Amino acid sequence: MVVSGEGRMERVQGLKDGLTIYGVPNLGIRVCNAQGSPKTLAECARDFEAEGARALITVGGVETQTALRSTHRIPILYVGLAASLDWGFIQSLRRPGGRVSGVDNGYAELTGKRLEWLVRALPSAHRVLVLYQPEVVPTPKALTHLRSAASILGTELAYFEVRHREDLNRLPQVLANTQPDAALLLPSFILENALTTQVLPALEATQVPLVGLSPEHTRAGAALSYGASEHALGQQAARMLKKLLEGLPISELPVERPDIPRLTLNRRVLERLGYSPTPQVAALADEL
């Protein structure tokens, strides 16, 4: 398994747990956590293929893209990838046709719905700061869904572009300048891996609630999230890995969608920031 950083390790644990559930408990799993280094990601992928690994498990777009470029033969199964078709890894969801398949997390398509849940939960949130990484492939699709929803909901959007981890040092100043009522996260390996160390502390210091991507983000300190559990994505990929190990060619292994998107909220965080969710959303959401 190749992982870009700590923010996606729950997918690793989900896959390991899933292998036990689906009756493959003794499969040897090696994990390379590149700690944000693309060079290390590439080296690990090459090393795993050279050592004869039966499959490479990747946990996002940058991991999958790097693994594909760095290897030649090994099947690659991704655990959570937004906008699968946009990356160019596969020919179709039903029949990928190459050596890449996996679980699409639907995060880009759910962006507009996340904004809707924010407005329904916190009606006073009129100005939203969008945290995004422009070179990430799903970003244009996510922004399209977001802007469409914002025009319907009457929400004003501001933007904070992150290209390097160091850009997050500017987040406190951006928050002071834009004065948003809330912030919304788009899929990004930089932002996800820096969620607990830089993103959430800066937002909490200015009492700005965050809309995250998954229940794990809510548990980590986001005010609310809408999306599939990272752990559940891993378990779902384990089922696919079992089929691959049993002989189904990866070129014929259909891409899967998330089993269960969840709306989650963190009432403790909301109360600490001075917010209270509407009763309607509180009744629908799982509290973490």
Side-chain angles (χ1 to χ4, degrees), residues 68-119:
L68 187 60
R69 290 173 176 173
S70 305
T71 61
H72 303 286
R73 303 171 302 279
I74 190 168
I76 298 171
L77 184 71
Y78 55 79
V79 184
L81 182 75
S84 289
L85 290 170
D86 294 359
W87 289 88
F89 302 147
I90 61 175
Q91 295 175 14
S92 72
L93 298 179
R94 293 184 61 187
R95 197 179 185 90
R99 60 186 179 99
V100 180
S101 187
V103 183
D104 187 301
N105 55 28
Y107 283 173
E109 292 84 353
L110 293 177
T111 305
K113 191 66 176 179
R114 291 191 185 97
L115 183 65
E116 179 187 345
W117 281 122
L118 168 64
V119 172

Side-chain angles (χ1 to χ4, degrees), residues 131-135 160-175 188 190-191 194 198-199 202:
L131 310 178
Y132 75 105
Q133 187 177 347
E135 72 271 19
F160 178 49
E161 180 180 291
V162 176
R163 293 182 181 271
H164 306 282
R165 184 80 177 243
E166 294 73 22
D167 292 339
L168 287 168
N169 295 330
R170 298 188 290 107
L171 181 54
Q173 187 60 51
V174 171
L175 289 166
S188 157
I190 292 177
L191 289 163
Q198 290 176 274
V199 176

Side-chain angles (χ1 to χ4, degrees), residues 1-4 8-17 19 27-34 40-41 44-45 48 53 55-59 63 67 74 77-79 234 237-238 241:
M1 298 190 72
V2 288
V3 187
S4 63
R8 292 175 170 176
M9 287 300 292
E10 190 63 31
R11 303 181 194 186
V12 176
Q13 189 58 50
L15 184 125
K16 290 180 177 180
D17 293 344
L19 289 173
L27 186 68
I29 300 287
R30 288 182 56 195
V31 179
C32 168
N33 184 343
T40 302
L41 273 181
C44 288
F48 286 160
L56 269 180
I57 312 299
T58 57
V59 294
E63 293 92 339
I74 190 168
L77 184 71
Y78 55 79
V79 184
L241 178 58

Side-chain angles (χ1 to χ4, degrees), residues 15-274:
L15 184 125
K16 290 180 177 180
D17 293 344
L19 289 173
T20 300
I21 292 171
Y22 294 113
V24 197
N26 298 317
L27 186 68
I29 300 287
R30 288 182 56 195
V31 179
C32 168
N33 184 343
Q35 302 288 349
S37 168
K39 180 181 179 182
T40 302
L41 273 181
E43 290 172 349
C44 288
R46 284 194 294 268
D47 290 346
F48 286 160
E49 182 177 57
E51 293 166 6
R54 296 177 66 184
L56 269 180
I57 312 299
T58 57
V59 294
V62 67
E63 293 92 339
T64 307
Q65 187 176 64
T66 302
L68 187 60
R69 290 173 176 173
S70 305
T71 61
H72 303 286
R73 303 171 302 279
I74 190 168
I76 298 171
L77 184 71
Y78 55 79
V79 184
L81 182 75
S84 289
L85 290 170
D86 294 359
W87 289 88
F89 302 147
I90 61 175
Q91 295 175 14
S92 72
L93 298 179
R94 293 184 61 187
R95 197 179 185 90
R99 60 186 179 99
V100 180
S101 187
V103 183
D104 187 301
N105 55 28
Y107 283 173
E109 292 84 353
L110 293 177
T111 305
K113 191 66 176 179
R114 291 191 185 97
L115 183 65
E116 179 187 345
W117 281 122
L118 168 64
V119 172
R120 292 178 64 182
L122 308 176
S124 62
H126 300 297
R127 182 173 174 80
V128 177
L129 180 64
V130 182
L131 310 178
Y132 75 105
Q133 187 177 347
E135 72 271 19
V136 170
V137 169
T139 296
K141 178 172 287 185
L143 287 174
T144 297
H145 285 284
L146 182 63
R147 288 166 179 154
S148 176
S151 67
I152 295 170
L153 296 166
T155 308
E156 181 183 354
L157 301 177
Y159 299 92
F160 178 49
E161 180 180 291
V162 176
R163 293 182 181 271
H164 306 282
R165 184 80 177 243
E166 294 73 22
D167 292 339
L168 287 168
N169 295 330
R170 298 188 290 107
L171 181 54
Q173 187 60 51
V174 171
L175 289 166
N177 292 340
T178 57
Q179 297 187 335
D181 301 311
L184 187 144
L185 187 70
L186 296 195
S188 157
F189 65 92
I190 292 177
L191 289 163
E192 291 171 54
N193 288 329
L195 184 70
T196 58
T197 56
Q198 290 176 274
V199 176
L200 285 170
L203 294 172
E204 184 155 343
T206 50
Q207 292 191 294
V208 174
L210 176 69
V211 180
L213 304 172
S214 68
E216 285 79 7
H217 289 176
T218 305
R219 194 172 290 114
L224 62 94
S225 300
Y226 183 64
S229 158
E230 307 272 338
H231 192 272
L233 291 172
Q235 289 188 337
Q236 193 170 344
R239 187 175 65 216
M240 298 180 70
L241 178 58
K242 181 180 181 182
K243 295 177 183 178
L244 183 63
L245 297 174
E246 289 173 344
L248 181 65
I250 196 161
S251 60
E252 299 177 15
L253 185 63
V255 172
E256 295 190 9
R257 296 288 193 178
D259 285 341
I260 309 175
R262 294 174 62 195
L263 172 65
T264 54
L265 66 83
N266 190 323
R267 190 179 292 272
R268 295 185 305 278
V269 168
L270 285 165
E271 291 176 350
R272 192 163 64 240
L273 298 179

